[in-house]
Amino acid sequence: MYFIKDQENIHVKDQVFIKPDYLNHPFISGNKYRKLKYNILEAQRFQKTRLLTFGGAYSNHIAAVAAAGSEFGFKTIGVIRGEELVAKVADNPTLSFAKKQGMHFHFVSRESYRLKVTNDFIESLKSKFGDFYLIPEGGTNKLAIKGCEEILTENDKNFDFICCSVGTGGTISGLINSSGSSQKILGFPALKGEFLKEEISKFANNPNWDLISDYHFGGYAKINTELISFINEFKAQYGLPLDPVYTGKMMYGVFDLMRQGYFPKGAKILAIHTGGLQGIQGMNDALRKKKLPILN
């Protein structure tokens, strides 16, 4: 694998800086690159030839694994939630991209998908596809945490608050582990549910973190006109695109907390832009069908 230097922080407001970590790779971008880095090296070490993982119709993780397989010489298998998607691959920008990268799809029902972590289900996949290197849904495991610990560098030690969006909890766990004791890590979950605290606690080594659970906009991949307007205005004003599932909700939350006076006067805030921009096209397709404004 090859690595590039961290991008400089982008100043957005007097208190807020954004680290555009999504610029680390054109296709395996942001936290997906971080999560896959050591998993790819591990798969190479064990001389695996196949990567198998799980995801939904517009999964950033599916797109990233497919691109990583193409770049580093692995066959890739995506176990996709929803048998109805079999006939819709050509109309789905995420799945069509993954297919072009060489990914083979295995579509399963939503009921079967819930069994994805069970031994019986994994063994059935081995019987069907042979030996493979297993990467969990969303990419979070110990090696992924190790990669995410590299997001923060010495240049980031002068920030008081580090903010990130939260999906499966891997990225924030890495940030917590590599943060300074005087820093506070704030996670903005993209989905409803209190289970994330337990998941993060499995990997996080420091107590300096909290979840701000008020900005999920109804749940995973849920969006409304207020969030669309915020994302479009943000891009127009600062020249930075935000995705509607993760970073858009995080930045909306950060700005709202600033208006409420949540952050102490003079505090320096660093927001991590983890990527997810490939999902914008699919979201816009859904918004058009609902006759709602689209993301610029």
Side-chain angles (χ1 to χ4, degrees):
M1 297 185 75
Y2 68 90
F3 312 104
I4 67 173
K5 293 181 180 179
D6 289 333
Q7 304 297 320
E8 293 296 324
N9 298 325
I10 296 174
H11 182 226
V12 174
K13 283 192 172 186
D14 289 340
Q15 287 181 281
V16 182
F17 292 74
I18 293 180
K19 186 160 194 163
D21 204 49
Y22 70 98
L23 297 177
N24 56 7
H25 192 281
F27 301 118
I28 320 166
S29 71
N31 62 341
K32 299 309 177 189
Y33 178 91
R34 305 289 186 176
K35 289 181 176 183
L36 288 173
K37 174 181 174 180
Y38 289 107
N39 276 289
I40 293 292
L41 292 174
E42 187 77 347
Q44 291 172 334
R45 185 170 77 89
F46 282 103
Q47 298 182 327
K48 301 288 187 178
T49 60
R50 296 183 183 90
L51 308 176
L52 183 142
T53 196
F54 309 87
Y58 298 101
S59 167
N60 296 322
H61 176 66
I62 286 292
V65 171
S70 176
E71 182 159 334
F72 301 112
F74 292 93
K75 295 179 180 179
T76 54
I77 303 159
V79 180
I80 309 298
R81 181 181 64 248
E83 291 174 308
E84 74 280 1
L85 295 170
V86 173
K88 299 178 180 180
V89 171
D91 299 323
N92 181 298
T94 299
L95 296 181
S96 59
F97 169 81
K99 184 178 180 180
K100 288 177 183 177
Q101 298 297 308
M103 177 171 274
H104 172 82
F105 299 129
H106 177 55
F107 296 94
V108 298
S109 68
R110 282 163 170 73
E111 292 74 20
S112 295
Y113 193 82
R114 295 188 189 102
L115 304 174
K116 61 184 177 296
V117 297
T118 64
N119 289 333
D120 287 346
F121 190 77
I122 299 301
E123 287 302 317
S124 71
L125 293 173
K126 289 180 179 179
S127 296
K128 185 175 183 63
F129 298 111
D131 188 38
F132 53 75
Y133 183 85
L134 178 66
I135 302 175
E137 182 181 32
T140 293
N141 57 18
K142 288 184 179 180
L143 291 174
I145 308 303
K146 180 180 178 181
C148 289
E149 289 172 359
E150 297 176 354
I151 294 175
L152 296 180
T153 67
E154 285 298 316
N155 295 332
D156 303 319
K157 294 297 184 183
N158 61 331
F159 288 98
D160 302 296
F161 291 87
I162 311 293
C163 301
C164 74
S165 54
V166 179
T168 55
T171 302
I172 189 173
S173 297
L175 294 172
I176 293 166
N177 292 348
S178 60
S179 64
S181 58
S182 63
Q183 294 179 309
K184 184 65 176 287
I185 312 301
L186 297 180
F188 293 77
L191 62 166
K192 293 189 288 186
E194 291 298 316
F195 67 94
L196 278 170
K197 286 189 175 182
E198 184 178 343
E199 289 298 309
I200 294 166
S201 297
K202 293 177 183 177
F203 298 106
N205 297 329
N206 299 315
N208 59 334
W209 60 278
D210 198 6
L211 295 183
I212 309 295
S213 302
D214 302 324
Y215 301 100
H216 53 66
F217 284 81
Y220 183 73
K222 297 296 177 70
I223 188 172
N224 61 21
T225 54
E226 184 178 9
L227 183 59
I228 294 169
S229 295
F230 173 81
I231 291 172
N232 286 340
E233 291 169 7
F234 190 94
K235 185 179 180 183
Q237 185 168 355
Y238 303 112
L240 282 171
L242 301 173
D243 86 288
V245 178
Y246 295 105
T247 58
K249 294 179 179 181
M250 172 195 65
M251 289 310 305
Y252 183 99
V254 170
F255 277 32
D256 192 49
L257 291 179
M258 289 178 65
R259 284 191 292 268
Q260 296 177 34
Y262 176 92
F263 299 104
K265 186 176 180 179
K268 292 186 68 177
I269 305 158
L270 180 65
I272 310 298
H273 193 317
T274 51
L277 300 178
Q278 70 84 29
I280 291 177
Q281 185 179 347
M283 178 63 77
N284 277 341
D285 290 344
L287 292 173
R288 289 188 186 97
K289 291 176 182 177
K290 296 178 181 179
K291 301 189 184 315
L292 292 173
I294 64 170
L295 298 156
N296 296 331

